[in-house]
Amino acid sequence: AQSVTQLGSHVSVSEGALVLLRCNYSSSVPPYLFWYVQYPNQGLQLLLKYTTGATLVKGINGFEAEFKKSETSFHLTKPSAHMSDAAEYFCAVSEGGGADGLTFGKGTHLIIQP
Amino acid sequence: SAVISQKPSRDICQRGTSLTIQCQVDSQVTMMFWYRQQPGQSLTLIATANQGSEATYESGFVIDKFPISRPNLTFSTLTVSNMSPEDSSIYLCSVGETSEQYFGPGTRLTVT
């Protein structure tokens, strides 16, 4: 069975500061890993994904994440936070990419301080 | 990526009634999924709906409560039956492409 743990239900950073959202996963097979963002009263938007190959993946809005197999982690980063980044972020894992349902973490609410 | 729409976008229903949620995709897709997001919570997979076969339900979800139809490759419905206040959630459909999933805007259901 697969699972996802997101450390920190709320993360607060100052505008312009580094954003780091933590995600650890467990999977019995090489995983597909995803980060989604949900703005208030909106649906989920795919930020980035890891399938195979390069372990550092770049996504939209300046976000990137690094797959570390030895640490079973897939942390999300952004060098400089912007007010518009305030949202809920979900890490998810799948064992079959688009062919399997996703298992989500509990989410991290990112707060940007002016 | 596929464009996904859902109807209704929101509804308020009385307990004991049923609501059918529609999910329409602008292209043919094999894999469709239904998720539930309870207030302030993460998303939980309800079932996988493939065209031409019975939906596959996750543990804790049953067909009598959440019947699903998948009549063709662009459309699916989820019915929430005999509703109770605990069914108040956002219900989202998603479509699976080769290596990722895209989500519809969701249906916000409130049961009174």
Side-chain angles (χ1 to χ4, degrees):
Chain A
Q2 54 199 18
S3 66
V4 176
T5 301
Q6 290 183 241
L7 292 177
S9 59
H10 291 78
V11 170
S12 180
V13 303
S14 299
E15 188 174 19
L18 171 72
V19 175
L20 171 61
L21 304 183
R22 300 179 185 273
C23 173
N24 289 87
Y25 71 90
S26 69
S27 176
S28 57
V29 301
Y32 293 75
L33 294 161
F34 308 87
W35 277 98
Y36 286 87
V37 60
Q38 186 176 38
Y39 298 101
N41 299 313
Q42 294 189 27
L44 270 73
Q45 182 180 11
L46 179 64
L47 270 180
L48 49 78
K49 66 179 181 182
Y50 169 78
T51 55
T52 61
T55 57
L56 181 63
V57 294
K58 297 184 183 297
I60 61 173
N61 301 339
F63 284 94
E64 60 183 36
E66 186 171 12
F67 170 63
K68 292 187 176 180
K69 183 178 179 180
S70 61
E71 298 178 8
T72 60
S73 69
F74 191 57
H75 302 331
L76 181 71
T77 61
K78 182 175 180 177
S80 177
H82 191 272
M83 295 299 291
S84 61
D85 294 327
E88 192 80 17
Y89 291 80
F90 293 97
C91 181
V93 64
S94 166
E95 296 183 349
D100 280 345
L102 299 175
T103 298
F104 284 85
K106 293 186 180 297
T108 297
H109 185 63
L110 178 62
I111 302 162
I112 310 297
Q113 304 283 2
Chain B
S1 62
V3 176
I4 307 164
S5 60
Q6 289 185 231
K7 289 182 181 179
S9 59
R10 59 177 63 223
D11 207 342
I12 301 173
C13 301
Q14 292 190 342
R15 69 176 67 204
T17 63
S18 298
L19 176 72
T20 295
I21 302 167
Q22 299 179 6
C23 179
Q24 180 75 53
V25 189
D26 70 342
S27 59
Q28 294 186 338
V29 294
T30 302
M31 311 295 295
M32 292 184 76
F33 306 88
W34 287 97
Y35 293 81
R36 180 176 72 182
Q37 186 177 23
Q38 294 178 298
Q41 303 296 315
S42 186
L43 286 82
T44 301
L45 179 65
I46 297 172
T48 301
N50 294 335
Q51 194 268 337
S53 63
E54 295 288 327
T56 303
Y57 290 83
E58 298 298 304
S59 176
F61 297 96
V62 295
I63 187 172
D64 290 346
K65 177 67 175 177
F66 297 102
I68 288 171
S69 77
R70 181 78 200 275
N72 57 53
L73 291 173
T74 63
F75 187 78
S76 178
T77 66
L78 170 75
T79 299
V80 186
S81 303
N82 188 25
M83 288 183 285
S84 66
E86 291 71 35
D87 294 320
S88 296
S89 297
I90 300 173
Y91 293 86
L92 301 100
C93 69
S94 76
V95 300
E97 299 190 349
T98 305
S99 60
E100 57 206 29
Q101 286 187 26
Y102 295 96
F103 285 80
T107 295
R108 184 180 295 272
L109 170 62
T110 302
V111 184
T112 60

